[in-house]
Amino acid sequence: PWMTTINSDESSESNDDDIRKPEQPAQPKEEKKTPPFLWGTLPLGPVIATRLRSSDRPSPTSVQCAAFTMLTATQSKNNKKVPTKRTNAIIASPTGTGKTLAYLLPLLCTSPGGQKGEGTGGVLIVTPTIELACQIQREVDTLWPPSADGKSSLFVVGANDMNALGDEDKEEEDVWSQGRTILRSISGNSPLIAGTPKMLRMLYREAESIVKRPYDVHPFTKEERETSVALLSNLRAIVLDEADRLLRTEAVAREAAERKQRKIDQRKRAEAEELALGNNARPPPPPKKKRLIVARQTQTELLLRDLPVPSLDYVQIICASATIGRTMRRQLMQILGAPSADAAAALITGDEDARVKSKDAEKRKSVLLPEKLQHAFKVVDISDIDAGDKDADTDDKDLSVAERNEERRIAATIQGMWDTMVKMEVAKPTIIFPGRVGVERVEDELKVLGLEDVRTLRNLSGDSHEANNAEDSATESNKWKNIPVYIIGERFARGLDLPEVGNVILLSPPSSAAGYAHMAGRTGRSGREGTAITLVRPRNTEVQRLAAIAETLGLKFKEELSGVAGTQ
C-alpha cells in the first residue's frame, strides 16, 4: 500500500509540474554519421570511400559486400599447398550488379604498397576485348586517380601502343617483336595491367626473354630490364573478366554434349545389333560419320600455363561473369588441378535473388537478367523481298537476285528499327546491336534520318560526334535528334556499362541465350528500369531462335510495351 501511495503522490506531483511547465519542443534525434573510412559496411579507408560516394554510389551491392569479405580473407580456404594465399573465387551475378567493383575493391585494399608502393604487374586483368579493359581502367581511375602527368594506375596492353609509335619506332617494330613495343610503352609504375590474353602472352614472353638472355645478343635499356624483372616477380592476383568467354565455355559444353550423345548412340546401336543377331535379322546400317568439333585450347589457358609463377597455387585467381555454369567451374577445376569445383574456387553470388526461390519456373530461369528489365519483339515486314527482277531498282541492276533480296531484307530491318524508335513515347539513350546489318550501315542510315548524336565504340563519350545538318525525314525524328544512340557490335557487348541507357534494340536474335543475356543486360542495370526489343524476320529461323532463348531464360514478352511491339 505504501508503495502505491508513493507512486500516486509522485504521479500527482509530476502532473502538477506538467501543468506549471510549458511543453518543450521535441528535440530532433541526431543521425549517426557513417565513419569516413566506411562505404556502407565495407572498410575501404577514407580516401576510396569518399571517392565512391562522390561518384554517385552511396552504398555497395550485395555481391560487392560478399566478394570483399571473401577476397580479403588472410588465409585461403581452398588452397592447402599455400595456405597464406588469398581465396580463389568465382563472382557470378546478373548484369548490372557491379562485378567490376566487386573484384577491384578487395584487390586495391589488399595492395601491399598501395597505389604508389605496389610494383609493376601486381594484378593482371584478362579481358576478351581491349574496349572492356579500357572501361575497367576508368573504374580504377575513380578509385586510384591518375598521376599528375595523366598516367593511370592500370595499364591497358594494346590500347595506345601502335597509335603512339613514331616513324623511327615503326621502323624498329619491323625488327623487334610486338612484345617489345608493348614493354617499352609501360613507363613508370603500373600496379595493374589489363588486356587480351594474346597481347599479354606477348608481353610476358618478351619480359622473360630480356631477363634470361644476355645484353649482347638482344640489346635492351635499363628501364626495359627493370620492367621485365618486375613483371616476372610481382604477380599476386589474376582476374578473368567474362571468364566463360575467355575459356570458350560454350564450345566446351557443346563438345561435352556431343561426346555424351555419341556414347548414347553407340550403346543403342550395340543393343540393336545384339537384338538383330539373336533374331537372325539383318543388323542396322552403320551411322553416317560426323566430324566431332573439338574445343581447342584457348589463349587464356596458354597464358595461365606460361605465367612466371612456380604454379597457379601461388596467385589468387578471380573469375567474373553473369553466365557461369557447371561447365566453366569444371574447366577451372581442371586448369588448377583441384579435386573438386569447390576446392578450385569459392562461388560468390551475393544475396540470393528472390526469383531463385519463386514457385514460378519462368522467374527462376530469368535470374541471369535484371529484375526490372522488360522484353518485347517486333516482326519485320519482308513480304515484298522476293519480287525478283520485275521490281528491280535501277541501282540494283548489277546485283543478283539473292543480293537484291538481301539488300531488301536489310532495308526492311532498318525500317522496322526506325518504326520501333518512332513509336516510343519517350526517346531515351539507346543501344542498337546491328547483327549482320553492320555498324557502319546502321550508323549511316540513322544520320540520314536526322540523328546527330550517333556513337560507336570509337566515340562512346560523343564529344567529337559530327552534327548532321540534314533535314529531318519526319517530324517524329525530332525527339531523337540529340538523343545518344550507340551502335555496338555483338562481340563487344560484355561488360559495357552505359548507365543512362534506357533501351536496347537487337536487329536479330543472337545465337545463344547467354548472348541475349549480355546484350539485353546493357539496360535495366543497378535496379533501373529498361526495355530490350528484338526484331525478327518470319521467313527464316529467327522466330524459332528467339523462342528457344525465351524458353531458356524464362522471358515473357509484353503484348504492348510503350507502343513499341507486340506478339505479332
Side-chain angles (χ1 to χ4, degrees):
W2 62 270
M3 288 288 293
T4 304
T5 305
I6 291 176
N7 288 340
S8 298
D9 293 341
E10 290 178 350
S11 176
S12 61
E13 290 176 4
S14 62
N15 289 338
D16 293 339
D17 292 339
D18 291 340
I19 295 173
R20 290 192 299 268
K21 296 179 181 179
E23 292 185 1
Q24 298 294 329
Q27 296 295 328
K29 294 183 179 179
E30 294 184 2
E31 295 182 1
K32 292 184 179 179
K33 293 183 179 180
T34 303
F37 62 88
L38 289 180
W39 183 52
T41 59
L42 302 184
L44 306 181
V47 177
I48 292 181
T50 302
R51 288 169 182 164
L52 284 169
R53 283 192 290 267
S54 63
S55 62
D56 293 331
R57 284 176 276 199
S59 60
T61 63
S62 60
V63 71
Q64 290 166 354
C65 292
F68 191 87
T69 302
M70 180 69 71
L71 298 178
T72 56
T74 55
Q75 290 188 344
S76 173
K77 295 182 180 180
N78 51 21
N79 190 341
K80 296 181 180 179
K81 296 180 182 179
V82 189
T84 56
K85 193 205 76 171
R86 299 184 189 277
T87 303
N88 294 340
I90 296 176
I91 303 174
S93 64
T95 57
T97 53
K99 290 183 291 294
T100 303
L101 275 183
Y103 65 74
L104 278 180
L105 292 175
L107 291 174
L108 299 188
C109 290
T110 57
S111 173
Q115 181 176 6
K116 297 181 180 179
E118 181 165 351
T120 296
V123 176
L124 188 65
I125 302 176
V126 189
T127 62
T129 62
I130 293 178
E131 288 75 15
L132 178 55
C134 292
Q135 183 168 295
I136 297 170
Q137 184 185 56
R138 291 192 287 272
E139 288 282 10
V140 171
D141 290 345
T142 300
L143 306 174
W144 280 359
S147 59
D149 58 355
K151 186 176 181 300
S152 174
S153 296
L154 186 146
F155 174 76
V156 178
V157 175
N160 301 310
D161 297 333
M162 303 309 297
N163 294 334
L165 290 177
D167 294 336
E168 296 180 0
D169 293 328
K170 289 180 180 179
E171 293 178 2
E172 291 187 6
E173 174 64 16
D174 297 334
V175 180
W176 303 112
S177 67
Q178 191 173 357
R180 178 66 65 89
T181 305
I182 298 171
L183 187 68
R184 288 177 175 179
S185 61
I186 304 178
S187 58
N189 186 35
S190 298
L192 295 90
I193 295 178
T196 60
K198 185 175 182 179
M199 301 289 279
L200 291 172
R201 286 189 68 203
M202 293 180 185
L203 173 62
Y204 276 97
R205 193 180 302 157
E206 184 64 26
E208 189 173 1
S209 68
I210 288 178
V211 171
K212 289 185 176 181
R213 296 179 183 179
Y215 176 81
D216 296 339
V217 178
H218 291 281
F220 48 81
T221 65
K222 179 182 178 181
E223 291 76 11
E224 290 172 355
R225 180 172 177 81
E226 290 176 350
T227 302
S228 300
V229 171
L231 286 172
L232 300 180
S233 58
N234 291 337
L235 186 62
R236 65 180 176 92
I238 306 166
V239 178
L240 304 182
D241 201 328
E242 303 298 344
D244 57 325
R245 178 173 170 184
L246 289 170
L247 298 175
R248 297 184 67 231
T249 302
E250 286 188 19
V252 173
R254 282 195 299 268
E255 179 189 346
E258 190 171 344
R259 288 185 183 277
K260 184 178 180 180
Q261 186 60 44
R262 287 194 175 198
K263 288 182 180 180
I264 294 173
D265 294 342
Q266 289 174 359
R267 186 174 67 250
K268 288 182 178 180
R269 176 173 172 76
E271 293 174 354
E273 289 177 347
E274 186 177 353
L275 182 62
L277 183 62
N279 296 332
N280 294 323
R282 180 178 297 178
K288 294 182 179 179
K289 291 185 178 181
K290 186 179 179 181
R291 181 183 176 188
L292 177 65
I293 301 177
V294 180
R296 296 177 298 174
Q297 195 172 25
T298 63
Q299 288 286 338
T300 304
E301 293 174 273
L302 296 174
L303 172 65
L304 294 175
R305 182 196 65 187
D306 298 337
L307 284 174
V309 290
S311 76
L312 294 176
D313 294 319
Y314 289 83
V315 292
Q316 184 179 25
I317 297 178
I318 303 170
C319 300
S321 180
T323 48
I324 287 179
R326 287 176 292 180
T327 302
M328 206 224 80
R329 298 192 70 189
R330 285 196 294 267
Q331 282 181 278
L332 188 61
M333 177 186 74
Q334 294 171 358
I335 291 172
L336 299 179
S340 67
D342 291 332
L347 183 63
I348 300 173
T349 58
D351 289 344
E352 192 171 32
D353 196 313
R355 289 176 288 176
V356 175
K357 296 182 178 180
S358 173
K359 295 181 180 180
D360 188 345
E362 303 301 322
K363 286 186 177 181
R364 293 197 299 271
K365 293 178 183 179
S366 66
V367 293
L368 291 178
L369 292 160
E371 190 171 5
K372 294 184 179 180
L373 178 61
Q374 294 182 318
H375 308 271
F377 71 91
K378 179 179 177 61
V379 177
V380 177
D381 184 11
I382 52 173
S383 57
D384 61 340
I385 66 166
D386 295 323
D389 294 283
K390 294 181 180 180
D391 299 331
D393 298 331
T394 55
D395 296 337
D396 296 342
K397 287 184 177 180
D398 295 335
L399 302 177
S400 65
V401 174
E403 290 173 334
R404 286 200 299 271
N405 287 339
E406 180 60 25
E407 177 61 28
R408 288 169 181 169
R409 290 189 187 98
I410 292 174
T413 301
I414 292 175
Q415 185 60 46
M417 172 197 71
W418 181 239
D419 291 343
T420 298
M421 296 171 66
V422 168
K423 290 179 182 178
M424 292 182 182
E425 295 178 357
V426 179
K428 300 177 182 178
T430 299
I431 294 179
I432 297 175
F433 292 103
R436 294 175 59 185
V437 177
V439 173
E440 292 184 0
R441 176 67 180 271
V442 176
E443 181 183 8
D444 293 342
E445 293 286 350
L446 288 178
K447 287 182 177 179
V448 169
L449 289 166
L451 276 67
E452 296 185 356
D453 197 358
V454 181
R455 311 181 188 184
T456 63
L457 279 176
R458 300 186 301 271
N459 179 33
L460 287 177
S461 63
D463 295 334
S464 61
H465 75 272
E466 295 180 3
N468 188 348
N469 295 324
E471 294 182 359
D472 296 341
S473 61
T475 57
E476 291 88 348
S477 66
N478 288 331
K479 64 182 179 182
W480 285 97
K481 183 175 182 180
N482 297 312
I483 300 296
V485 177
Y486 303 87
I487 318 296
I488 307 293
E490 180 177 343
R491 62 187 296 261
F492 301 108
R494 287 175 177 254
L496 188 65
D497 187 18
L498 300 168
E500 75 277 11
V501 168
N503 303 305
V504 166
I505 300 177
L506 292 80
L507 299 195
S508 62
S511 57
S512 66
Y516 182 90
H518 284 284
M519 284 189 280
R522 296 312 98 197
T523 185
R525 302 168 69 83
S526 303
R528 301 181 182 91
E529 294 183 351
T531 305
I533 306 135
T534 305
L535 273 57
V536 292
R537 297 180 295 187
R539 293 195 183 182
N540 53 21
T541 61
E542 290 185 358
V543 175
Q544 292 84 346
R545 194 158 73 239
L546 183 61
I549 292 172
E551 173 64 22
T552 302
L553 297 177
L555 305 182
K556 289 186 178 180
F557 293 98
K558 301 294 183 181
E559 292 188 4
E560 186 174 354
L561 192 58
S562 300
V564 172
T567 54
Q568 302 181 34

